[in-house]
Amino acid sequence: MHDDRNLVEARLKRVLDERIRPAVYPESVPLQVAVWHAPGEPVPVAEGLAGVPEPIAVGDAWGAPWGTSWFRVTGTVPQEWAGRTVEAILDLGFDENMPGFQCEGLVYRPDGTPVKGLNPRNQWVRVGAPVAGGEEVRLHIEAASNPVILDYHPFVPTALGDRETAGSEPQYRLARMDLAVFDESVWQLVLDLEVLGELMHELPVEGARRWDILRAVGRALDAVDLQDVNASADAARAELADVLAVPAGLTAHRISAVGHAHIDSAWLWPLRETVRKVARTTSNMTALLEDEPDFVFTMSQAQQFAWIKEHRPEVYARVKKAVSQGRFVPAGGMWVESDTNMPGSEAMARQFVHGKRFFLEEFGIENDEAWLPDTFGFAAGLPQIIRAAGAKWLLTQKISWSQTNKFPHHTFQWEGIDGTRIFTHFPPVDTYNCSMKGSEIAHAARNFKDKGAARHSLAPTGWGDGGGGTTREMVAKAARLRNLDGSATVAWESPAEFFAKAQAEYPNAPVWVGELYLELHRATLTSQAKTKQGNRRSEHLLREAELWAATAAVRAGFPYPYEQLDRIWKTVLLHQFHDILPGSSIAWVHREAERTYAAVAEELNTIIDGSQRVLAGEAVSGRTLVFNSAPHARASVAAGAAAEAVRTGASRAAAREGGGFVLDNGLLRVEIDGRGLVVSVYDSAAGRETVAPGQAANLLQIHPDFPNMWDAWDVDAFYRNTVTDLTDVDQLVAVEDDGVAAVRVVRSFGDSKVTQLLSLPPDAKRLDIDTEVDWHETEKFLKAAFPLDIHAERYASETQFGHFHRPTHTNTSWEAAKFEACNHRFVHLEEPGWGVALVNDSTYGHDVTRTVRDTGDRGTTTTVRVSLLRAPRFPDPETDQGVHRFRHALVPGATVGDAVREGYRVNLPERRVAGGGEVAPLVSVDNDAVVVSAVKLADDASGDLVVRLYESHGGRARARLTAGFAADAVAATDLLERPLTEGARPELADGSVELSLRPFELVTLRWTRSAPRG
């Protein structure tokens, strides 16, 4: 037989496009349309419905950027349509290739009841099935004219990302507003042909199945009357029935489809628009659930449920009903789908605390899975946090975006820094926006890395990023793929159902140890520095507020601000969303975040100040208490205590031969040359130099920074090819303040200016570096380099509840790909017996490289570079412009314990309060390796005290934890402060608990306070 595949396939495409799809709506009449443009920000529904509209016609322009227009559409169903299915087709001017990234709408009835959302792939509203004829149709559309930021030519700088700069030019033209007859038979024929045509392309030409489908498609097309498709649709479908009925083979890959609409809580739209995106999507999904009995939909992010509860209670009622039926499944148990690299220990824990608690309180649902399909890599400390929250599974997809190395598994056990393992799945469909295309289903089956040992995978199905969700077409395709020869099988299932089956069939899944590093989007560790600083400072202010409010409550009966802290935590957690904290959102989002962080800081400082003043008591002349919020004693003040600080000694500055200055405090001798660069940091006790020979530390370097794509997200390895050392100096002067010697260095470069204060505190082996940058560069990358005279094959990088090691070499492509990585408060390098730490107060990105010096001994040196600022132009063309301040410290002779201590110190500065008596700590620990990460009152307002701690050095640790208050009992709990049923129970003896911790083990203890004696 002749090979006529191309002929049939081309025929199928043209007949579908030009005859069959248009016949889905064979008859239509126009609707009358009027519009009212809301002034300013979105208005309540009642106000939108009450607006006085003016006529508008199809083809007319509408919609200023970020505006809201309320359309009223009216019409009458023709009498001759009686007995037929009728739908309203409402096209606001959509581009079908951009669901979620342009204008959208939510349809209401005249009484304000929401009907469903409108987007480019979902433009219909059912009027009746069947209609009687003569019905009056009246609908209202709340239409958001969100501008297209990421267009066909992506990453072009645009002013549309902020309402203040976006202008008022209309963005869209009204395209179609009709009542139309919906032909169910033709619609089903379209889906029959799409499913078979897409499957046919994925089958081998040599196989009989492909040819069986080809011939059936040819017969169906022969049966179609091109002049009367509607009358011939059933006959055409009959020709396809046999090939659609052939069952899949017993060894077919099995796909659990999960209805899904990944909605970024902010990205190319502001937070307020996400509230409406969620309402539109959930309206659609609850309606689809009512129509499709097999369909299951899942949505993560407790914040998004909370938004519709607050802003769209009528939609939330429908969601709650569907949840109670097990059809609408809350997933993930986190407040938002956060970044997981940069959030601190407590913040990462609280993502699960607040997310899981919301789902428990609202729905009675306990999530066993973490659901993070789009997060930009996963920190090595995350597995034990997931487990400590009472969960056991993780889903993500983003690692498939890695540019260099293909991850070797799709289903595996992920082991974290403490040895905790989490059963993890990466959907081999390689998207979290599956649309049930044959190419996607075939790719999932072919791509699945664990063939032979497992055959289950998951496919999150629905339009996402900007929302939209699953469509009726996707559900119909899935029904045809449920058991179809040549295809993987598809069944709608919840995440929990999938994970239970996948784990049961693959109990000995392979293990991956350490971070799940995404070989892409590395610049998200640096972009939008003020957002990152706001996050870091909020995290530490929350630690202080909880600590001192709890101390004041226990010591002085101070009212503990439960509701206020809960609200602030949720605000900070929201801003850890994986496009806010990483700096990849539009200008509007980051300007708003800056204001929000300022308000958070003001509130938290008020709590801290009020608590400390209560604790300090009456002021005594000349007496100042130092409040130490850090988990280690300093200046004779215990951790979590307040007392008068005792300091001795001083540092001094002297002129350096050849130019510059020498700082000395008897512990370190620091030489700063005439260029203002640190050329020597000598550890007097160890008799050892810190800076690599012939090199200079604290060397500011600037690189061109124009990645191939994803400007705010990416830094490509070739940026290193060109570097400019900033060595010219405008000012170099020695200064002294309260016994602390320092050198001020001022430099100018390009259109920018940097001022640094290099100071050497008394009695401390560290060089403090305060940097202020007035930054006005474009597409540049600013780093600070510290070449160290240390031979290190690996270095320690702090992550949640501990640290882990990365190699300094690039032996393999896996190591080479990690040319920019994340740390929290410190990185630490060491040779046996001597190490160096570099700590920071607000930076995350860094790189570590090694070289062989040009001296006779050819010794290896290691350079740490911290990333300070970038200047990408998309999606925010003004990224990072303005003044920024950073604090770093170089700590020679540091153990990893010193790195932990100094990291906390730089982020938790002392607070001085005039007062009388000292304040004893609520809890004390007798081992510095065991770090208290939180002291707070229990969230249930019982008055119990909750203490969270972890082993921070990476070794076994025994410690005694002593309560500074009367306690009746103590219990180990999960992160949600619920008693654990497994493991050893702590025993309380004389107000103390003996602990024996594994490396990096995380423990939460709940103390029941003794009732006061009357």
Side-chain angles (χ1 to χ4, degrees):
M1 184 178 290
H2 296 296
D3 185 347
D4 59 351
R5 285 177 299 119
N6 292 339
L7 189 67
V8 175
E9 291 165 3
R11 181 188 182 196
L12 172 62
K13 183 180 186 307
R14 185 175 186 192
V15 172
L16 264 175
D17 288 346
E18 298 184 22
R19 292 291 189 272
I20 302 178
R21 288 194 183 99
V24 171
Y25 293 106
E27 300 176 55
S28 64
V29 295
L31 288 159
Q32 289 75 52
V33 189
V35 65
W36 174 71
H37 302 293
E41 285 294 278
V43 299
V45 174
E47 186 176 341
L49 296 176
V52 179
E54 297 180 352
I56 186 173
V58 168
D60 287 351
W62 71 277
W66 305 114
T68 301
S69 298
W70 284 83
F71 290 94
R72 184 189 67 195
V73 295
T74 56
T76 303
V77 177
Q79 288 288 351
E80 58 269 27
W81 289 1
R84 303 170 79 177
T85 298
V86 175
E87 295 180 344
I89 310 301
L90 307 173
D91 186 344
L92 299 173
F94 296 125
D95 179 339
E96 70 170 13
N97 296 312
M98 293 186 179
F101 293 89
Q102 53 179 297
C103 61
E104 300 174 60
L106 181 56
V107 179
Y108 296 88
R109 296 187 180 93
D111 64 0
T113 304
V115 180
K116 67 189 295 285
L118 297 178
N119 63 60
R121 300 299 181 103
N122 208 325
Q123 303 176 22
W124 58 274
V125 176
R126 182 64 57 90
V127 171
V131 295
E135 291 95 335
E136 294 297 323
V137 176
R138 185 184 181 97
L139 298 170
H140 298 263
I141 307 167
E142 180 190 19
S145 50
N146 302 332
V148 175
I149 305 293
L150 190 66
D151 214 331
Y152 286 98
H153 186 77
F155 319 122
V156 174
T158 174
L160 291 171
D162 195 328
R163 185 159 195 163
E164 296 178 2
T165 60
S168 58
E169 186 72 21
Q171 299 292 292
Y172 300 99
R173 290 190 178 275
L174 208 59
R176 184 181 182 186
M177 294 277 157
D178 289 346
L179 285 178
V181 172
F182 175 73
D183 191 321
E184 173 89 14
S185 293
V186 176
W187 183 78
Q188 296 284 5
L189 176 60
V190 169
L191 292 161
D192 289 345
L193 289 170
E194 284 183 352
V195 167
L196 290 172
E198 290 166 2
L199 173 60
M200 184 168 58
H201 280 284
E202 303 302 325
L203 295 172
V205 175
E206 299 80 10
R209 177 64 169 161
R210 177 161 182 164
W211 291 91
D212 288 344
I213 294 173
L214 185 79
R215 296 301 167 221
V217 167
R219 292 193 298 272
L221 295 176
D222 290 341
V224 173
D225 182 344
L226 298 182
Q227 274 64 53
D228 195 352
V229 172
N230 302 87
S232 56
D234 287 339
R237 292 196 71 205
E239 296 294 343
L240 302 173
D242 287 346
V243 289
L244 283 167
V246 180
L250 294 176
T251 60
H253 185 70
R254 297 177 181 177
I255 293 177
S256 296
V258 179
H260 189 237
H262 175 67
I263 304 178
D264 286 315
S265 289
W267 180 28
L268 305 180
W269 45 87
L271 289 167
R272 65 89 155 147
E273 190 56 33
T274 313
V275 176
R276 301 201 295 176
K277 284 178 174 286
V278 174
R280 291 188 284 260
T281 295
T282 52
S283 295
N284 263 351
M285 295 303 96
T286 51
L288 189 60
L289 287 165
E290 292 174 0
D291 295 339
E292 301 290 349
D294 293 332
F295 177 53
V296 177
F297 181 77
T298 193
M299 189 171 89
S300 68
Q301 306 191 72
Q303 172 69 86
Q304 296 188 358
F305 287 84
W307 275 333
I308 53 172
K309 180 182 179 182
E310 177 184 357
H311 297 283
R312 291 289 195 270
E314 66 283 4
V315 178
Y316 191 63
R318 289 162 56 177
V319 169
K320 287 201 75 170
K321 179 182 177 182
V323 170
S324 69
Q325 297 167 342
R327 308 280 309 287
F328 194 119
V329 182
M334 296 176 68
W335 191 247
V336 294
E337 289 182 12
S338 72
D339 180 80
T340 74
N341 285 314
M342 290 176 282
S345 303
E346 274 304 308
M348 199 74 256
R350 305 300 175 94
Q351 285 286 352
F352 289 91
V353 169
H354 288 284
K356 294 197 74 171
R357 185 173 290 140
F358 183 92
F359 289 155
L360 280 164
E361 292 176 352
E362 290 291 316
F363 310 120
I365 287 175
E366 174 94 15
N367 292 98
D368 286 328
E369 77 288 333
W371 184 272
L372 291 164
D374 191 28
T375 297
F376 308 152
F378 299 86
L382 188 58
Q384 75 162 331
I385 298 174
I386 294 173
R387 185 73 71 178
K392 57 187 178 182
W393 300 319
L394 169 67
L395 178 134
T396 185
Q397 179 271 328
K398 201 68 174 187
I399 300 299
S400 69
W401 286 42
S402 286
Q403 290 179 314
T404 306
N405 297 285
K406 191 77 171 175
F407 198 81
H409 315 295
H410 281 107
T411 303
F412 60 99
Q413 295 279 356
W414 178 29
E415 181 177 316
I417 58 174
D418 75 316
T420 297
R421 291 181 178 179
I422 295 295
F423 188 80
T424 302
H425 180 66
F426 294 171
V429 71
D430 280 350
T431 179
Y432 47 81
N433 296 323
C434 176
S435 61
M436 284 291 138
K437 286 183 180 178
S439 56
E440 294 170 333
I441 302 304
H443 177 75
R446 282 195 298 262
N447 188 40
F448 188 55
K449 292 286 187 296
D450 300 278
K451 298 183 189 75
R455 55 178 176 147
H456 276 83
S457 71
L458 186 144
T461 302
W463 300 115
D465 289 319
T470 318
T471 65
R472 62 182 177 183
E473 288 78 14
M474 295 175 194
V475 176
K477 282 189 168 187
R480 289 160 172 79
L481 296 169
R482 185 175 185 86
N483 191 15
L484 182 61
D485 185 33
S487 171
T489 65
V490 176
W492 295 106
E493 292 184 309
S494 70
E497 289 171 324
F498 160 75
F499 273 110
K501 291 179 180 179
Q503 192 165 23
E505 78 166 357
Y506 207 12
N508 298 313
V511 177
W512 182 270
V513 178
E515 68 179 329
L516 295 171
Y517 179 92
L518 177 63
E519 296 170 354
L520 191 74
H521 292 359
R522 302 167 181 88
T524 57
L525 303 174
T526 306
S527 296
Q528 298 287 1
K530 289 184 179 177
T531 299
K532 292 170 170 57
Q533 288 185 331
N535 173 72
R536 177 77 71 85
R537 289 168 185 171
S538 296
E539 289 178 349
H540 289 83
L541 285 170
L542 276 161
R543 172 195 174 91
E544 290 188 82
E546 289 183 337
L547 169 64
W548 298 120
T551 305
V554 173
R555 297 270 183 257
F558 186 74
Y560 190 80
Y562 292 101
E563 293 183 2
Q564 188 179 11
L565 288 171
D566 179 81
R567 173 176 49 78
I568 294 171
W569 262 118
K570 288 172 179 174
T571 298
V572 173
L573 298 177
L574 166 60
H575 286 78
Q576 292 178 339
F577 179 74
H578 65 251
D579 278 307
I580 303 179
L581 180 54
S584 47
S585 289
I586 56 173
W588 188 339
V589 173
H590 292 290
R591 305 301 170 266
E592 189 173 61
E594 186 175 354
R595 293 190 294 269
T596 298
Y597 283 130
V600 163
E602 183 176 2
E603 274 198 86
L604 291 173
N605 278 314
T606 299
I607 294 172
I608 294 164
D609 292 345
S611 302
Q612 290 179 343
R613 292 189 185 283
V614 167
L615 290 165
E618 291 287 334
V620 175
S621 178
R623 183 176 173 85
T624 299
L625 298 180
V626 171
F627 280 78
N628 178 17
S629 304
H632 307 93
R634 59 186 181 192
S636 75
V637 182
E644 287 189 281
V646 178
R647 289 187 173 85
T648 59
S651 58
R652 59 187 181 276
R656 174 180 177 271
E657 185 178 349
F661 298 94
V662 176
L663 303 177
D664 198 327
N665 66 359
L667 301 172
L668 292 181
R669 184 177 184 273
V670 178
E671 293 189 36
I672 300 165
D673 71 6
R675 302 169 297 172
L677 302 178
V678 178
V679 292
S680 174
V681 180
Y682 188 76
D683 181 347
S684 301
R688 173 141 184 183
E689 175 58 57
T690 306
V691 180
Q695 302 295 310
N698 191 41
L699 171 64
L700 296 176
Q701 297 180 308
I702 198 162
H703 299 266
D705 185 16
F706 189 63
N708 289 342
M709 57 195 308
W710 298 109
D711 296 43
W713 294 256
D714 282 358
V715 56
D716 291 328
F718 54 73
Y719 88 93
R720 288 180 172 176
N721 297 346
T722 306
V723 59
T724 300
D725 294 342
L726 302 181
T727 58
D728 292 342
V729 63
D730 299 342
Q731 184 186 71
L732 182 65
V733 60
V735 296
E736 184 177 335
D737 181 23
D738 194 24
V740 178
V743 173
R744 179 178 292 113
V745 185
V746 181
R747 305 182 194 280
S748 299
F749 57 96
D751 294 321
S752 303
K753 180 179 179 180
V754 59
T755 301
Q756 291 190 297
L757 189 69
L758 311 178
S759 57
L760 189 61
D763 294 336
K765 286 179 63 175
R766 71 172 188 268
L767 175 65
D768 288 333
I769 304 166
D770 291 84
T771 302
E772 178 181 288
V773 186
D774 189 4
W775 181 248
H776 298 283
E777 303 306 301
T778 300
E779 294 168 350
K780 295 290 193 297
F781 196 3
L782 181 65
K783 285 189 170 253
F786 295 83
L788 306 173
D789 191 12
I790 194 165
H791 175 91
E793 293 187 359
R794 65 178 192 170
Y795 71 98
S797 176
E798 190 185 31
T799 188
Q800 294 99 2
F801 297 112
H803 60 267
F804 70 105
H805 292 93
R806 295 188 184 97
T808 60
H809 60 74
T810 55
N811 282 358
T812 72
S813 58
W814 294 88
E815 286 103 26
K818 296 181 182 181
F819 59 82
E820 185 78 4
C822 181
N823 70 289
H824 285 191
R825 288 167 291 226
F826 71 80
V827 294
H828 177 258
L829 304 91
E830 66 178 346
E831 296 174 359
W834 195 83
V836 179
L838 184 62
V839 302
N840 72 83
D841 78 335
S842 59
T843 57
Y844 296 92
H846 68 279
D847 68 86
V848 178
T849 55
R850 53 197 283 145
T851 189
V852 176
R853 57 194 182 212
D854 283 332
T855 58
D857 63 4
R858 308 294 293 169
T860 304
T861 64
T862 309
T863 298
V864 179
R865 298 198 308 162
V866 295
S867 303
L868 298 179
L869 290 167
R870 300 183 68 234
R873 300 184 65 213
F874 182 88
D876 176 6
E878 298 296 320
T879 300
D880 281 332
Q881 302 299 297
V883 177
H884 305 269
R885 295 176 180 86
F886 310 96
R887 296 195 72 198
H888 294 82
L890 183 67
V891 190
T895 64
V896 74
D898 295 327
V900 173
R901 184 190 67 251
E902 291 297 328
Y904 274 103
R905 179 201 59 78
V906 77
N907 284 274
L908 291 165
E910 299 168 349
R911 290 179 183 259
R912 297 174 175 271
V913 180
E918 296 185 350
V919 180
L922 282 183
V923 292
S924 55
V925 185
D926 66 355
N927 186 341
D928 272 356
V930 178
V931 169
V932 173
S933 67
V935 177
K936 59 189 287 292
L937 293 193
D939 290 340
D940 61 5
S942 62
D944 290 355
L945 188 79
V946 172
V947 179
R948 190 147 33 245
L949 48 85
Y950 65 100
E951 194 289 317
S952 66
H953 292 186
R956 301 276 174 171
R958 296 187 65 85
R960 177 184 293 272
L961 184 67
T962 302
F965 56 92
D968 289 336
V970 64
T973 74
D974 66 6
L975 293 179
L976 276 70
E977 301 169 5
R978 304 173 297 189
L980 298 175
T981 57
E982 299 179 354
R985 296 184 178 182
E987 295 185 5
L988 184 63
D990 297 326
S992 297
V993 173
E994 293 280 353
L995 299 174
S996 179
L997 302 181
R998 303 185 317 272
F1000 302 125
E1001 184 177 0
L1002 165 65
V1003 174
T1004 304
L1005 297 176
R1006 180 169 178 152
W1007 302 72
T1008 303
R1009 292 158 55 201
S1010 301
R1013 297 177 181 177

